[in-house]
Amino acid sequence: MIKDLPENNVKDIAIAVALERESVESKIWYVYLINLKNEPIENVLITSKGYGEKNGEQVKTSVLRHMIPVVDSKGYKLIEPIDEQTFGLNNEYWLSYYIGSNIYDKKFIFLPESIVEMNFIKLPVLNKPGVMIL
């Protein structure tokens, strides 16, 4: 039965962690959904959570759910702010969306210590420094 389902591969969709502002005291970070497609995506559902080991103990963050009605072609939407203290954890974003009547989904995971300056790029569409998973 599952073999009969179409294989809807997610392409040209990214999750990015962007450095918004920085001062001597702190850095402000946000997570974005970037649509690099030439068509909008609709009924977007994103769940986010962090998990892993910190100081020898297993740690889990709350699971957050986000609903976005539409992300325009070559557009982006803010998902959530993210705290630097979670960068040592796996930060997982599970994305589902529709194009027409077809549903697509993909899991994006920022591994521990992957959100670091040496991995920064200029994020497309956002034009901000950050780390992106495509």
Side-chain angles (χ1 to χ4, degrees), residues 3-4 9 16 26-27 29 34 39 46 51 60 62-63 68 73 78-79 92-93 95 99 127 133:
K3 64 181 174 42
D4 298 327
N9 292 322
S26 66
K27 294 180 180 179
W29 301 86
I34 302 174
E39 58 190 328
I46 302 165
Y51 57 90
K60 290 182 183 180
S62 299
V63 175
I68 303 169
S73 162
L78 174 65
I79 298 172
E92 177 184 297
Y93 295 87
L95 167 73
I99 297 177
N127 295 318
I133 300 175

PDB file of all heavy atoms in Angstrom, residues 3-4 9 16 26-27 29 34 39 46 51 60 62-63 68 73 78-79 92-93 95 99 127 133:
ATOM      1  N   LYS A   3       3.802   1.575  -1.023  1.00  0.00           N
ATOM      2  CA  LYS A   3       4.549   1.650  -2.281  1.00  0.00           C
ATOM      3  C   LYS A   3       3.730   2.322  -3.375  1.00  0.00           C
ATOM      4  O   LYS A   3       4.271   2.811  -4.359  1.00  0.00           O
ATOM      5  CB  LYS A   3       5.008   0.262  -2.723  1.00  0.00           C
ATOM      6  CG  LYS A   3       3.881  -0.695  -3.052  1.00  0.00           C
ATOM      7  CD  LYS A   3       4.419  -2.055  -3.465  1.00  0.00           C
ATOM      8  CE  LYS A   3       3.381  -3.099  -3.663  1.00  0.00           C
ATOM      9  NZ  LYS A   3       2.183  -2.771  -4.333  1.00  0.00           N
ATOM     10  N   ASP A   4       2.421   2.382  -3.209  1.00  0.00           N
ATOM     11  CA  ASP A   4       1.539   3.004  -4.196  1.00  0.00           C
ATOM     12  C   ASP A   4       1.457   4.522  -4.057  1.00  0.00           C
ATOM     13  O   ASP A   4       0.931   5.196  -4.940  1.00  0.00           O
ATOM     14  CB  ASP A   4       0.128   2.417  -4.094  1.00  0.00           C
ATOM     15  CG  ASP A   4       0.122   0.923  -4.392  1.00  0.00           C
ATOM     16  OD1 ASP A   4       0.942   0.496  -5.228  1.00  0.00           O
ATOM     17  OD2 ASP A   4      -0.685   0.200  -3.788  1.00  0.00           O
ATOM     18  N   ASN A   9       9.166  14.582  -3.444  1.00  0.00           N
ATOM     19  CA  ASN A   9      10.434  15.046  -2.892  1.00  0.00           C
ATOM     20  C   ASN A   9      10.408  16.557  -2.675  1.00  0.00           C
ATOM     21  O   ASN A   9       9.965  17.306  -3.543  1.00  0.00           O
ATOM     22  CB  ASN A   9      11.590  14.687  -3.832  1.00  0.00           C
ATOM     23  CG  ASN A   9      11.811  13.193  -3.899  1.00  0.00           C
ATOM     24  OD1 ASN A   9      11.697  12.501  -2.902  1.00  0.00           O
ATOM     25  ND2 ASN A   9      12.121  12.706  -5.085  1.00  0.00           N
ATOM     26  N   ALA A  16      16.464  28.052   7.712  1.00  0.00           N
ATOM     27  CA  ALA A  16      17.693  28.806   7.976  1.00  0.00           C
ATOM     28  C   ALA A  16      17.660  29.414   9.373  1.00  0.00           C
ATOM     29  O   ALA A  16      16.612  29.844   9.846  1.00  0.00           O
ATOM     30  CB  ALA A  16      17.857  29.911   6.940  1.00  0.00           C
ATOM     31  N   SER A  26      24.896  40.476  23.568  1.00  0.00           N
ATOM     32  CA  SER A  26      24.148  39.314  23.102  1.00  0.00           C
ATOM     33  C   SER A  26      23.993  39.296  21.586  1.00  0.00           C
ATOM     34  O   SER A  26      24.263  40.277  20.902  1.00  0.00           O
ATOM     35  CB  SER A  26      22.756  39.300  23.743  1.00  0.00           C
ATOM     36  OG  SER A  26      22.000  40.401  23.278  1.00  0.00           O
ATOM     37  N   LYS A  27      23.497  38.149  21.107  1.00  0.00           N
ATOM     38  CA  LYS A  27      23.162  37.967  19.695  1.00  0.00           C
ATOM     39  C   LYS A  27      21.704  37.538  19.631  1.00  0.00           C
ATOM     40  O   LYS A  27      21.250  36.744  20.453  1.00  0.00           O
ATOM     41  CB  LYS A  27      24.048  36.905  19.042  1.00  0.00           C
ATOM     42  CG  LYS A  27      25.499  37.300  18.955  1.00  0.00           C
ATOM     43  CD  LYS A  27      26.326  36.208  18.309  1.00  0.00           C
ATOM     44  CE  LYS A  27      27.778  36.634  18.239  1.00  0.00           C
ATOM     45  NZ  LYS A  27      28.619  35.598  17.635  1.00  0.00           N
ATOM     46  N   TRP A  29      18.902  35.639  17.330  1.00  0.00           N
ATOM     47  CA  TRP A  29      18.809  34.659  16.258  1.00  0.00           C
ATOM     48  C   TRP A  29      17.348  34.340  15.962  1.00  0.00           C
ATOM     49  O   TRP A  29      16.536  34.227  16.879  1.00  0.00           O
ATOM     50  CB  TRP A  29      19.484  33.352  16.670  1.00  0.00           C
ATOM     51  CG  TRP A  29      20.923  33.470  17.013  1.00  0.00           C
ATOM     52  CD1 TRP A  29      21.453  33.802  18.221  1.00  0.00           C
ATOM     53  CD2 TRP A  29      22.044  33.246  16.144  1.00  0.00           C
ATOM     54  NE1 TRP A  29      22.828  33.786  18.153  1.00  0.00           N
ATOM     55  CE2 TRP A  29      23.210  33.458  16.891  1.00  0.00           C
ATOM     56  CE3 TRP A  29      22.157  32.882  14.805  1.00  0.00           C
ATOM     57  CZ2 TRP A  29      24.469  33.309  16.348  1.00  0.00           C
ATOM     58  CZ3 TRP A  29      23.411  32.737  14.265  1.00  0.00           C
ATOM     59  CH2 TRP A  29      24.563  32.949  15.029  1.00  0.00           C
ATOM     60  N   ILE A  34      12.440  29.347   4.004  1.00  0.00           N
ATOM     61  CA  ILE A  34      12.706  30.043   2.744  1.00  0.00           C
ATOM     62  C   ILE A  34      12.171  29.194   1.593  1.00  0.00           C
ATOM     63  O   ILE A  34      12.519  28.025   1.461  1.00  0.00           O
ATOM     64  CB  ILE A  34      14.221  30.290   2.546  1.00  0.00           C
ATOM     65  CG1 ILE A  34      14.789  31.099   3.709  1.00  0.00           C
ATOM     66  CG2 ILE A  34      14.469  31.012   1.214  1.00  0.00           C
ATOM     67  CD1 ILE A  34      16.301  31.265   3.675  1.00  0.00           C
ATOM     68  N   GLU A  39       6.846  28.936  -7.270  1.00  0.00           N
ATOM     69  CA  GLU A  39       5.426  28.867  -6.953  1.00  0.00           C
ATOM     70  C   GLU A  39       5.256  28.923  -5.438  1.00  0.00           C
ATOM     71  O   GLU A  39       6.158  28.542  -4.688  1.00  0.00           O
ATOM     72  CB  GLU A  39       4.811  27.593  -7.516  1.00  0.00           C
ATOM     73  CG  GLU A  39       5.459  26.318  -7.012  1.00  0.00           C
ATOM     74  CD  GLU A  39       4.999  25.082  -7.775  1.00  0.00           C
ATOM     75  OE1 GLU A  39       3.849  25.044  -8.220  1.00  0.00           O
ATOM     76  OE2 GLU A  39       5.817  24.171  -7.921  1.00  0.00           O
ATOM     77  N   ILE A  46       4.821  23.407  10.652  1.00  0.00           N
ATOM     78  CA  ILE A  46       6.196  23.147  11.091  1.00  0.00           C
ATOM     79  C   ILE A  46       6.159  22.817  12.579  1.00  0.00           C
ATOM     80  O   ILE A  46       5.564  23.547  13.367  1.00  0.00           O
ATOM     81  CB  ILE A  46       7.101  24.369  10.869  1.00  0.00           C
ATOM     82  CG1 ILE A  46       7.105  24.771   9.397  1.00  0.00           C
ATOM     83  CG2 ILE A  46       8.522  24.092  11.361  1.00  0.00           C
ATOM     84  CD1 ILE A  46       7.655  26.150   9.146  1.00  0.00           C
ATOM     85  N   TYR A  51      16.795  18.433  21.148  1.00  0.00           N
ATOM     86  CA  TYR A  51      17.072  17.269  21.979  1.00  0.00           C
ATOM     87  C   TYR A  51      18.553  16.940  21.891  1.00  0.00           C
ATOM     88  O   TYR A  51      19.232  17.297  20.934  1.00  0.00           O
ATOM     89  CB  TYR A  51      16.218  16.062  21.566  1.00  0.00           C
ATOM     90  CG  TYR A  51      16.382  15.665  20.118  1.00  0.00           C
ATOM     91  CD1 TYR A  51      17.354  14.744  19.721  1.00  0.00           C
ATOM     92  CD2 TYR A  51      15.583  16.238  19.134  1.00  0.00           C
ATOM     93  CE1 TYR A  51      17.512  14.400  18.393  1.00  0.00           C
ATOM     94  CE2 TYR A  51      15.728  15.890  17.800  1.00  0.00           C
ATOM     95  CZ  TYR A  51      16.696  14.972  17.435  1.00  0.00           C
ATOM     96  OH  TYR A  51      16.856  14.644  16.108  1.00  0.00           O
ATOM     97  N   LYS A  60      15.586  17.709  26.548  1.00  0.00           N
ATOM     98  CA  LYS A  60      14.577  17.883  25.499  1.00  0.00           C
ATOM     99  C   LYS A  60      13.906  19.237  25.710  1.00  0.00           C
ATOM    100  O   LYS A  60      13.600  19.596  26.846  1.00  0.00           O
ATOM    101  CB  LYS A  60      13.498  16.794  25.572  1.00  0.00           C
ATOM    102  CG  LYS A  60      13.955  15.425  25.187  1.00  0.00           C
ATOM    103  CD  LYS A  60      12.786  14.460  25.249  1.00  0.00           C
ATOM    104  CE  LYS A  60      13.245  13.053  24.929  1.00  0.00           C
ATOM    105  NZ  LYS A  60      12.135  12.089  24.986  1.00  0.00           N
ATOM    106  N   SER A  62      10.607  21.854  24.616  1.00  0.00           N
ATOM    107  CA  SER A  62       9.192  21.708  24.273  1.00  0.00           C
ATOM    108  C   SER A  62       9.048  21.564  22.767  1.00  0.00           C
ATOM    109  O   SER A  62       9.854  22.078  22.002  1.00  0.00           O
ATOM    110  CB  SER A  62       8.412  22.946  24.713  1.00  0.00           C
ATOM    111  OG  SER A  62       8.490  23.109  26.093  1.00  0.00           O
ATOM    112  N   VAL A  63       7.996  20.877  22.346  1.00  0.00           N
ATOM    113  CA  VAL A  63       7.667  20.793  20.926  1.00  0.00           C
ATOM    114  C   VAL A  63       6.754  21.975  20.615  1.00  0.00           C
ATOM    115  O   VAL A  63       5.736  22.171  21.281  1.00  0.00           O
ATOM    116  CB  VAL A  63       6.955  19.465  20.578  1.00  0.00           C
ATOM    117  CG1 VAL A  63       6.513  19.461  19.128  1.00  0.00           C
ATOM    118  CG2 VAL A  63       7.860  18.282  20.870  1.00  0.00           C
ATOM    119  N   ILE A  68       1.527  28.313   8.888  1.00  0.00           N
ATOM    120  CA  ILE A  68       1.693  29.452   7.987  1.00  0.00           C
ATOM    121  C   ILE A  68       0.775  29.196   6.791  1.00  0.00           C
ATOM    122  O   ILE A  68       0.946  28.189   6.096  1.00  0.00           O
ATOM    123  CB  ILE A  68       3.161  29.598   7.533  1.00  0.00           C
ATOM    124  CG1 ILE A  68       4.089  29.739   8.738  1.00  0.00           C
ATOM    125  CG2 ILE A  68       3.309  30.767   6.570  1.00  0.00           C
ATOM    126  CD1 ILE A  68       5.565  29.623   8.424  1.00  0.00           C
ATOM    127  N   SER A  73       6.256  32.574  -3.615  1.00  0.00           N
ATOM    128  CA  SER A  73       7.395  32.201  -4.444  1.00  0.00           C
ATOM    129  C   SER A  73       8.563  33.137  -4.141  1.00  0.00           C
ATOM    130  O   SER A  73       8.379  34.345  -4.017  1.00  0.00           O
ATOM    131  CB  SER A  73       6.975  32.328  -5.910  1.00  0.00           C
ATOM    132  OG  SER A  73       8.085  32.375  -6.743  1.00  0.00           O
ATOM    133  N   LEU A  78       9.077  33.997   8.985  1.00  0.00           N
ATOM    134  CA  LEU A  78       9.677  33.758  10.288  1.00  0.00           C
ATOM    135  C   LEU A  78       8.984  32.563  10.943  1.00  0.00           C
ATOM    136  O   LEU A  78       7.758  32.496  10.974  1.00  0.00           O
ATOM    137  CB  LEU A  78       9.515  35.003  11.165  1.00  0.00           C
ATOM    138  CG  LEU A  78       9.958  34.879  12.617  1.00  0.00           C
ATOM    139  CD1 LEU A  78      11.460  34.657  12.710  1.00  0.00           C
ATOM    140  CD2 LEU A  78       9.531  36.109  13.393  1.00  0.00           C
ATOM    141  N   ILE A  79       9.779  31.633  11.445  1.00  0.00           N
ATOM    142  CA  ILE A  79       9.225  30.498  12.179  1.00  0.00           C
ATOM    143  C   ILE A  79       9.227  30.815  13.668  1.00  0.00           C
ATOM    144  O   ILE A  79       8.189  30.781  14.324  1.00  0.00           O
ATOM    145  CB  ILE A  79      10.003  29.194  11.911  1.00  0.00           C
ATOM    146  CG1 ILE A  79       9.926  28.819  10.431  1.00  0.00           C
ATOM    147  CG2 ILE A  79       9.478  28.067  12.785  1.00  0.00           C
ATOM    148  CD1 ILE A  79      10.813  27.652  10.033  1.00  0.00           C
ATOM    149  N   GLU A  92      15.505  20.263  15.550  1.00  0.00           N
ATOM    150  CA  GLU A  92      14.763  19.588  14.491  1.00  0.00           C
ATOM    151  C   GLU A  92      13.540  20.403  14.090  1.00  0.00           C
ATOM    152  O   GLU A  92      12.789  20.879  14.936  1.00  0.00           O
ATOM    153  CB  GLU A  92      14.324  18.214  14.997  1.00  0.00           C
ATOM    154  CG  GLU A  92      13.491  17.435  14.016  1.00  0.00           C
ATOM    155  CD  GLU A  92      13.013  16.120  14.605  1.00  0.00           C
ATOM    156  OE1 GLU A  92      13.869  15.273  14.920  1.00  0.00           O
ATOM    157  OE2 GLU A  92      11.791  15.958  14.767  1.00  0.00           O
ATOM    158  N   TYR A  93      13.355  20.519  12.771  1.00  0.00           N
ATOM    159  CA  TYR A  93      12.194  21.203  12.190  1.00  0.00           C
ATOM    160  C   TYR A  93      11.562  20.241  11.189  1.00  0.00           C
ATOM    161  O   TYR A  93      12.200  19.848  10.225  1.00  0.00           O
ATOM    162  CB  TYR A  93      12.616  22.503  11.504  1.00  0.00           C
ATOM    163  CG  TYR A  93      13.154  23.481  12.501  1.00  0.00           C
ATOM    164  CD1 TYR A  93      14.497  23.462  12.861  1.00  0.00           C
ATOM    165  CD2 TYR A  93      12.317  24.381  13.144  1.00  0.00           C
ATOM    166  CE1 TYR A  93      14.993  24.319  13.821  1.00  0.00           C
ATOM    167  CE2 TYR A  93      12.805  25.245  14.106  1.00  0.00           C
ATOM    168  CZ  TYR A  93      14.141  25.207  14.443  1.00  0.00           C
ATOM    169  OH  TYR A  93      14.636  26.052  15.406  1.00  0.00           O
ATOM    170  N   LEU A  95       8.733  19.798   8.513  1.00  0.00           N
ATOM    171  CA  LEU A  95       7.951  20.665   7.643  1.00  0.00           C
ATOM    172  C   LEU A  95       6.992  19.851   6.797  1.00  0.00           C
ATOM    173  O   LEU A  95       7.372  18.828   6.223  1.00  0.00           O
ATOM    174  CB  LEU A  95       8.921  21.425   6.723  1.00  0.00           C
ATOM    175  CG  LEU A  95       8.343  22.158   5.530  1.00  0.00           C
ATOM    176  CD1 LEU A  95       7.604  23.403   5.984  1.00  0.00           C
ATOM    177  CD2 LEU A  95       9.460  22.538   4.564  1.00  0.00           C
ATOM    178  N   ILE A  99       1.333  21.836  -2.361  1.00  0.00           N
ATOM    179  CA  ILE A  99       1.344  22.530  -3.645  1.00  0.00           C
ATOM    180  C   ILE A  99       0.178  21.914  -4.406  1.00  0.00           C
ATOM    181  O   ILE A  99       0.211  20.723  -4.731  1.00  0.00           O
ATOM    182  CB  ILE A  99       2.666  22.367  -4.412  1.00  0.00           C
ATOM    183  CG1 ILE A  99       3.812  22.994  -3.630  1.00  0.00           C
ATOM    184  CG2 ILE A  99       2.545  22.992  -5.810  1.00  0.00           C
ATOM    185  CD1 ILE A  99       5.174  22.821  -4.264  1.00  0.00           C
ATOM    186  N   ASN A 127      19.123  37.745   2.725  1.00  0.00           N
ATOM    187  CA  ASN A 127      20.330  38.580   2.679  1.00  0.00           C
ATOM    188  C   ASN A 127      20.874  38.894   4.072  1.00  0.00           C
ATOM    189  O   ASN A 127      21.230  40.019   4.383  1.00  0.00           O
ATOM    190  CB  ASN A 127      20.066  39.874   1.899  1.00  0.00           C
ATOM    191  CG  ASN A 127      19.770  39.587   0.446  1.00  0.00           C
ATOM    192  OD1 ASN A 127      20.415  38.756  -0.171  1.00  0.00           O
ATOM    193  ND2 ASN A 127      18.770  40.271  -0.077  1.00  0.00           N
ATOM    194  N   ILE A 133      19.811  24.787   5.800  1.00  0.00           N
ATOM    195  CA  ILE A 133      19.690  23.405   5.322  1.00  0.00           C
ATOM    196  C   ILE A 133      18.685  23.436   4.180  1.00  0.00           C
ATOM    197  O   ILE A 133      17.578  23.926   4.332  1.00  0.00           O
ATOM    198  CB  ILE A 133      19.196  22.453   6.423  1.00  0.00           C
ATOM    199  CG1 ILE A 133      20.155  22.429   7.606  1.00  0.00           C
ATOM    200  CG2 ILE A 133      19.012  21.048   5.853  1.00  0.00           C
ATOM    201  CD1 ILE A 133      19.657  21.598   8.779  1.00  0.00           C
TER     202      ILE A 133
END
